[in-house]
Amino acid sequence: AQTVTQSQPEMSVQEAETVTLSCTYDTSENNYYLFWYKQPPSRQMILVIRQEAYKQQNATENRFSVNFQKAAKSFSLKISDSQLGDTAMYFCAFMKHLPSNTGKLIFGQGTTLQVKP
Amino acid sequence: DGGITQSPKYLFRKEGQNVTLSCEQNLNHDAMYWYRQDPGQGLRLIYYSQIVNDFQKGDIAEGYSVSREKKESFPLTVTSAQKNPTAFYLCASRGQATDTQYFGPGTRLTVL
């Protein structure tokens, strides 16, 4: 069975600085997807970034980038130039490769990030 | 606007009552999912449906039931058999052959 672990329950960062959130996962699959979702105080789950395991290049979306280390089963999220609006809970999630699976997401426990002015 | 809607936003239930949470999407997505979130925890899968008139149990299906009579709708019923139903419930959908799930705004259920 797949598991996702986020070892940092809470983190804080000063506005405009850079912060990295950690995520490790366990799987015997070779092809899969990894995601970071953001859940602000409104509790709406918002996709931040996604990575396909067969792609070696790390995904980037504006100020958000990942460090994907397949052999180490590590998938960290880097937020550059942190903004107050980045304050949220961040979830790392794993999904087996389609189309042979159900699309089920397996989530980590989440990391609460506070951006301080 | 395309998206996923959930209603109501807040729901209060007395012990022993069944309640139904609504989830509607106009994204033309085939797959739909229900997750439960407890304080300080990640999401856990309750039920999912990959096609109309078909659904499967997730990891914590006991005490819940669903139906999928229309592509757009995937309601979740929390029955009196659910021992601890107070939680935040999130519905999601995914297009065929795509990997990304999109979430609704959620329903907060409180048992009084």
Side-chain angles (χ1 to χ4, degrees), chain A residues 33 35 37 39 42-47 50 52 89 91 95 98-99 101-110, chain B residues 31 33 35 37-38 40-45 48 50 59 88 90 94 97-105 108:
Chain A
Y33 304 94
F35 305 86
Y37 281 90
Q39 188 178 42
S42 68
R43 305 201 74 175
Q44 172 81 52
M45 291 286 283
I46 302 165
L47 177 68
R50 59 181 282 282
E52 298 172 62
M89 195 159 190
F91 290 96
M95 185 174 75
L98 296 168
N101 86 93
T102 62
K104 170 185 172 181
L105 282 170
I106 299 169
F107 286 87
Q109 306 92 319
Chain B
Y33 305 82
Y35 293 91
Q37 184 179 22
D38 292 287
Q41 296 187 30
L43 281 64
R44 293 180 292 167
L45 182 65
Y48 63 96
Q50 298 190 85
D59 299 320
F88 188 63
L90 285 155
R94 176 178 61 83
T98 65
D99 54 77
T100 301
Q101 290 185 27
Y102 295 94
F103 286 81
R108 173 70 184 173

Side-chain angles (χ1 to χ4, degrees), chain B residues 14-68:
Chain B
K14 293 182 180 179
E15 285 195 25
Q17 287 183 336
N18 292 354
V19 290
T20 298
L21 283 59
S22 170
C23 177
E24 304 276 335
Q25 54 97 1
N26 61 5
L27 301 169
N28 200 32
H29 285 173
D30 290 299
M32 297 186 74
Y33 305 82
W34 274 106
Y35 293 91
R36 170 180 171 143
Q37 184 179 22
D38 292 287
Q41 296 187 30
L43 281 64
R44 293 180 292 167
L45 182 65
I46 304 172
Y47 266 98
Y48 63 96
S49 168
Q50 298 190 85
I51 196 169
V52 175
N53 293 323
D54 187 49
F55 49 83
Q56 285 80 38
K57 294 181 179 179
D59 299 320
I60 55 166
E62 185 176 352
Y64 299 97
S65 66
V66 293
S67 63
R68 186 81 187 278

Side-chain angles (χ1 to χ4, degrees), chain A:
Chain A
Q2 288 77 26
T3 58
V4 177
T5 302
Q6 294 177 249
S7 59
Q8 305 152 313
E10 296 181 355
M11 295 188 71
S12 65
V13 63
Q14 291 296 132
E15 195 175 8
E17 293 187 348
T18 296
V19 63
T20 298
L21 280 58
S22 301
C23 172
T24 58
Y25 57 95
D26 187 25
T27 184
S28 58
E29 303 285 328
N30 189 47
N31 291 327
Y32 47 87
Y33 304 94
L34 293 163
F35 305 86
W36 279 98
Y37 281 90
K38 166 184 175 180
Q39 188 178 42
S42 68
R43 305 201 74 175
Q44 172 81 52
M45 291 286 283
I46 302 165
L47 177 68
V48 175
I49 200 165
R50 59 181 282 282
Q51 174 81 40
E52 298 172 62
Y54 66 87
K55 290 186 177 180
Q56 293 186 339
Q57 187 174 6
N58 288 326
T60 62
E61 288 287 342
N62 300 314
R63 297 183 295 108
F64 299 88
S65 62
V66 298
N67 183 6
F68 173 50
Q69 301 288 331
K70 191 173 184 179
K73 297 180 182 176
S74 172
F75 184 61
S76 60
L77 175 69
K78 185 172 82 171
I79 306 174
S80 303
D81 185 25
S82 297
Q83 300 176 0
L84 296 177
D86 295 333
T87 292
M89 195 159 190
Y90 288 81
F91 290 96
C92 180
F94 170 97
M95 185 174 75
K96 288 183 183 180
H97 189 260
L98 296 168
S100 59
N101 86 93
T102 62
K104 170 185 172 181
L105 282 170
I106 299 169
F107 286 87
Q109 306 92 319
T111 296
T112 299
L113 176 67
Q114 183 179 14
V115 180
K116 297 180 178 179

Side-chain angles (χ1 to χ4, degrees), chain B residues 60-77:
Chain B
I60 55 166
E62 185 176 352
Y64 299 97
S65 66
V66 293
S67 63
R68 186 81 187 278
E69 297 176 1
K70 299 187 299 182
K71 188 176 184 177
E72 302 78 21
S73 178
F74 191 42
L76 173 74
T77 297

